[in-house]
């Protein structure tokens, strides 16, 4: 058997609203691939994080929302004689 090549991409961008507040958006993608016992489907996702700083940047609070659109799904197909 031969394993297929896997392509993985991760993109980050940060939007700065003021000196003390920013929003980070992270997107990721992993291509479909063959495995030793089957195959894996492509995966992609989108995450958000908001950071607010206080007291002249001596205190900060971060809120992270991981996969709000339920895109991070992992699907595999396994096959063989003993499955």
């Amino acid at each position: 058997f031969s394993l297929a090549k896997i392509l993985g991409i991760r993109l980050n961008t940060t939007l700065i609203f003021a000196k003390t507040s920013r929003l980070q958006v992270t997107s990721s993608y992993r291509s479909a691939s063959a495995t030793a016992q089957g195959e894996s489907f492509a995966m992609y996702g989108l995450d958000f994080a908001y950071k607010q700083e206080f007291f002249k940047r001596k205190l900060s609070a971060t809120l992270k929302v991981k996969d709000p659109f339920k895109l991070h799904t992992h699907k595999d197909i396994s096959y063989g004689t003993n499955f």
Side-chain angles (χ1 to χ4, degrees):
F1 79 93
S2 67
L3 294 178
K5 294 181 182 177
I6 299 173
L7 171 66
I9 298 172
R10 178 169 288 212
L11 300 173
N12 280 332
T13 188
T14 301
L15 306 169
I16 300 172
F17 298 107
K19 289 183 179 181
T20 59
S21 60
R22 58 192 68 215
L23 175 69
Q24 183 177 42
V25 180
T26 303
S27 61
S28 59
Y29 171 79
R30 192 195 77 188
S31 66
S33 63
T35 66
Q37 296 174 330
E39 56 189 287
S40 289
F41 290 90
M43 292 189 332
Y44 49 93
L46 192 61
D47 301 327
F48 299 92
Y50 180 78
K51 180 178 180 182
Q52 182 67 51
E53 296 176 327
F54 304 96
F55 305 116
K56 297 182 182 179
R57 297 186 178 174
K58 294 184 181 194
L59 176 69
S60 67
T62 303
L63 173 65
K64 182 175 183 178
V65 179
K66 186 162 179 70
D67 192 26
F69 306 114
K70 306 278 188 224
L71 298 173
H72 289 284
T73 57
H74 185 81
K75 294 182 183 178
D76 292 323
I77 294 178
S78 298
Y79 44 84
T81 56
N82 294 322
F83 289 172

